[in-house]
Amino acid sequence: MQRIVDGVWAVNLGIANIGVLELPSGGLALIDTGGNGSKEKIAKALSSKNWQLEDVKHILITHGHYDHVGDLEALVQVSKATVWAHQKEARVIRGLEPQQLAPDSSLNAFGRFLKRMGQPPAKGVVHKELQGNTNLEVIMPGLRAVFLPGHAPGQLGYYLENSRTLFGGDFCVNILGLRAPIAGFTTDMREAKRSVAVAARLEPSNLIVGHGQPVLEVAAGALERLAQKLKS
Ligand SMILES: [Zn+2]
Ligand SMILES: [Zn+2]
C-alpha cells in the first residue's frame, strides 16, 4: 500500500491500481477492484494495515472494464459492501452488455491488437447508480464523483477535496508520462480529451490513475500540460 496522504492509499495490483480510503465513520472504501483473481491480493494488501475484507464498506467503481471490476461479486459476498458506479456502466459491470471499445476503423493494427486483448468483464454487482458529478459526503466528507467520460461512457473519477486527491480511473494513463487513454480501449477519444481538460480544472495535487505511478503534489501542472497538448 502506497500512502498518498493520511488515510488514503494506492495499491498496485499489477494489472491496475486501486485506491483505499479509511472512512472517518470506521471501515474502508475501495476505488476499483483490479482484475480477475484480485480478491486475495486485496486481502493481502489490507492485512499489512491489520484490516480485512470485512472492513470494506463501500466500493467505488471508475468504469466497467475488466481490469477495474475483477472479483467484484466475490468481494461483495465477503464484505457486504455497497457498490457505486455510473448508471452508464452498470449494465457492463453486471455482465449484461459488452464493453464499448473503439471501432476498429478508428484504430491502427497495434490498436486493434490491444483491443482484442480486452476480456469480457466478469458478472459483477452495482447497488447505487450515479448519474454524473455527485456529492458523496454520505460516504466521506469532501468526497465527490467527477464525470470524466470518453474512455468509457460512464467513466467517473473520485475526488477528495480536503487533500485535492483525484482517483481518475482511465481518463488518462501515466505511462512514460501522463497521456491520453489507450485508443483501443477508449469509446470516444474526443470526449476523453475533453475530460482531461475537466480534470485539469480541478487542479488536483495528487493524481492516481489506473495505469502507472501516482503523481504526487505536482498533478495540477502535469494535467494542465496534457490538456494543452491534447487541445492542439
Ligand atoms: Zn479502462
Ligand atoms: Zn484500465
Side-chain angles (χ1 to χ4, degrees):
M1 308 239 293
Q2 179 182 353
R3 179 188 171 278
I4 305 300
V5 295
D6 281 351
V8 180
W9 293 267
V11 183
N12 180 347
L13 292 182
I15 194 166
N17 300 314
I18 67 165
V20 178
L21 311 178
E22 189 174 8
L23 303 175
S25 53
L28 305 172
L30 299 182
I31 298 173
D32 284 345
T33 60
N36 291 335
S38 60
K39 191 181 97 177
E40 296 311 319
K41 291 182 189 171
I42 293 171
K44 194 172 166 213
L46 296 183
S47 72
S48 71
K49 303 282 175 197
N50 292 320
W51 288 316
Q52 46 193 14
L53 293 176
E54 286 81 353
D55 293 315
V56 177
K57 306 297 179 203
H58 297 276
I59 300 176
L60 307 166
I61 299 296
T62 62
H63 64 299
H65 289 170
Y66 74 98
D67 52 332
H68 297 258
V69 295
D71 283 4
L72 186 54
E73 195 170 35
L75 285 162
V76 167
Q77 268 171 13
V78 176
S79 65
K80 311 284 181 269
T82 303
V83 179
W84 304 66
H86 194 284
Q87 192 181 39
K88 287 184 177 172
E89 298 293 306
R91 287 181 59 79
V92 173
I93 295 168
R94 291 178 180 129
L96 302 172
E97 230 175 63
Q99 305 168 76
Q100 291 180 39
L101 302 174
D104 272 354
S105 60
S106 71
L107 300 171
N108 60 22
F110 183 60
R112 290 195 294 274
F113 166 75
L114 282 180
K115 179 181 166 183
R116 280 198 299 279
M117 283 177 30
Q119 298 171 18
K123 188 172 157 289
V125 194
V126 179
H127 301 110
K128 301 273 192 184
E129 296 186 18
L130 303 171
Q131 302 221 349
N133 296 319
T134 309
N135 181 323
L136 296 176
E137 303 253 348
V138 55
I139 299 175
M140 185 175 177
L143 173 66
R144 59 189 162 102
V146 184
F147 190 40
L148 300 170
H151 172 69
Q155 140 88 42
L156 291 173
Y158 293 97
Y159 190 55
L160 297 159
E161 286 170 350
N162 298 342
S163 61
R164 307 187 74 88
T165 297
L166 177 62
F167 284 87
D170 288 356
F171 87 90
C172 72
V173 295
N174 189 19
I175 298 171
L176 304 173
L178 287 189
R179 56 188 64 226
I182 294 166
F185 295 137
T186 295
T187 311
D188 183 337
M189 188 56 89
R190 284 167 61 111
E191 196 173 37
K193 289 178 177 178
R194 281 198 294 274
S195 286
V196 171
V198 170
R201 282 199 289 277
L202 290 172
E203 299 184 14
S205 297
N206 309 305
L207 173 65
I208 301 92
V209 288
H211 307 285
Q213 289 288 323
V215 181
L216 301 182
E217 295 178 14
V218 295
L223 260 184
E224 179 56 28
R225 283 193 294 281
L226 177 62
Q228 292 299 333
K229 191 171 137 200
L230 295 178
K231 227 198 284 181
S232 54

